Amino acid sequence: MVTVQAPQAPAISPLEIRERTGSISISEIISVLKGEITGLHIKQAFSVEVAEEITANFIRNPGLRERKDGVPGYCIGASHYRKDAAMYFADSENARPFVEALLGNIVDPVRGLFDALKRELHDQGIELRLTRSEWGEANICRAFCWSGTGSYALQPHDDVAQVLCAGNDYELAAAANNTVVALNLYTSMPEEGGDLRIWSHKPTVADRKSQGVETTGYPYSTAYLEAVPCHDFKLKVGDIALIDGGFIHGVTSQSGNGKRRVLLNNFLGFARPDLVLWWT
Ligand SMILES: O=C(O)CCC(=O)C(=O)O
Ligand SMILES: [Fe+2]
């Protein structure tokens, strides 16, 4: 006899959200890395002038291209999503001049944050570095502008499936057992929408299998998330958001003045108690 199991309702995991205005503190970033904070939103964390310069560098960048991996959007830089290590590191090496052109020679908030976190972790006996391999090294960030139509500019997803399925050629595979932190810096925002929505659910491997997203973590259906509470980060230019990328999140559709939504993004996480890796 075949028994048909009723689909399991997604388990609710509480969100620990912090939102405030000002400079980002390194101890807060470490709290997100340790899984103590699920979502950290720092408003006006870097200057509008710097944001505008990076956005201008994005728009005129010869490395700007459309994503061809099923996620609608435009990007500069490399993504390890659905790539083996050889391909990802080759992409990273090829994209380096474009990422450098994106950040230009200004004092930018990504490198500033990386250096400050590196110093603080070093004092605690922990190394922070870009992930690397025999094929090359990751870049410090990439830039995105999502172009999904419908309710979401970027559909609900988690960032951990792609790390869990990365394969043994990646040293970052070890980070999937710990909190995978997504760091987002917003350099251009539309007038309305483009919120970062995070749901109170951290899917397991079994949840992903049931949703047919075992290796990608993308996309989860609206029906699956219907009964799950969520929080919307209302973002403005110059804001920084860090989230535990294991929780399902997405970007709501945008409207208003036609300004594009541009962000710098990367991931970081503990690979060992004495090593934090940083990748894209
Ligand atoms: O655009 C955002 O605010 C979030 C981006 C994101 O979730 C991702 O790149 O995986
Ligand atoms: Fe994400």
Side-chain angles (χ1 to χ4, degrees):
M1 199 180 82
V2 178
T3 47
V4 179
Q5 284 205 324
Q8 286 265 310
I12 305 297
S13 300
L15 298 175
E16 200 60 55
I17 304 287
R18 299 259 174 94
E19 291 189 90
R20 62 172 182 80
T21 302
S23 315
I24 191 157
S25 90
I26 296 301
S27 61
E28 284 172 316
I29 300 175
I30 294 173
S31 291
V32 186
L33 274 168
K34 290 185 172 166
E36 295 156 2
I37 300 176
T38 328
L40 172 66
H41 176 193
I42 306 293
K43 300 170 192 175
Q44 297 167 33
F46 61 100
S47 84
V48 172
E49 288 74 22
V50 165
E52 283 172 352
E53 189 158 343
I54 294 171
T55 303
N57 292 343
F58 177 82
I59 293 165
R60 62 168 171 243
N61 199 298
L64 181 62
R65 58 189 164 77
E66 194 167 5
R67 276 181 79 147
K68 295 276 187 260
D69 56 6
V71 182
Y74 293 83
C75 70
I76 292 167
S79 292
H80 78 105
Y81 181 72
R82 296 174 64 184
K83 283 191 196 117
D84 63 26
M87 205 188 280
Y88 167 64
F89 286 105
D91 275 8
S92 301
E93 293 295 322
N94 291 335
R96 184 141 319 129
F98 304 124
V99 175
E100 279 165 9
L102 179 70
L103 301 176
N105 48 18
I106 48 176
V107 179
D108 72 86
V110 198
R111 288 181 290 211
L113 210 144
F114 179 88
D115 291 343
L117 183 61
K118 189 182 168 97
R119 273 194 306 273
E120 178 61 35
L121 288 173
H122 180 263
D123 288 348
Q124 299 184 19
I126 301 167
E127 184 189 4
L128 169 69
R129 64 167 169 81
L130 298 167
T131 190
R132 61 190 182 215
S133 72
E134 60 186 282
W135 300 283
E137 193 177 58
N139 294 317
I140 194 144
C141 69
R142 53 195 170 165
F144 289 125
C145 178
W146 306 116
S147 59
T149 50
S151 311
Y152 293 101
L154 173 65
Q155 290 197 66
H157 67 279
D158 73 74
D159 301 328
V160 171
Q162 55 183 307
V163 186
L164 267 177
C165 299
N168 293 332
D169 285 346
Y170 278 104
E171 58 174 357
L172 62 86
N177 305 317
N178 303 307
T179 305
V180 171
V181 177
L183 168 63
N184 303 303
L185 301 95
Y186 298 89
T187 71
S188 177
M189 281 298 289
E191 219 157 48
E192 284 287 328
D195 300 343
L196 173 59
R197 178 169 294 170
I198 183 166
W199 281 269
S200 235
H201 175 52
K202 197 168 185 174
T204 61
V205 171
D207 292 330
R208 288 192 198 99
K209 273 191 186 152
S210 81
Q211 297 307 302
V213 297
E214 190 186 359
T215 59
T216 57
Y218 170 94
Y220 291 90
S221 68
T222 320
Y224 181 65
L225 297 168
E226 203 169 13
V228 183
C230 64
H231 175 86
D232 283 359
F233 293 103
K234 302 267 177 208
L235 304 159
K236 290 211 158 53
V237 171
D239 289 5
I240 295 183
L242 276 96
I243 57 167
D244 176 340
F247 283 76
I248 297 181
H249 56 280
V251 178
T252 65
S253 64
Q254 63 182 64
S255 57
N257 55 8
K259 259 203 177 158
R260 58 200 105 201
R261 182 183 187 279
V262 179
L263 73 147
L264 304 179
N265 159 283
N266 65 274
F267 299 118
L268 58 156
F270 276 95
R272 294 194 313 253
D274 62 349
L275 176 65
V276 173
L277 292 176
W278 181 293
W279 71 96
T280 64

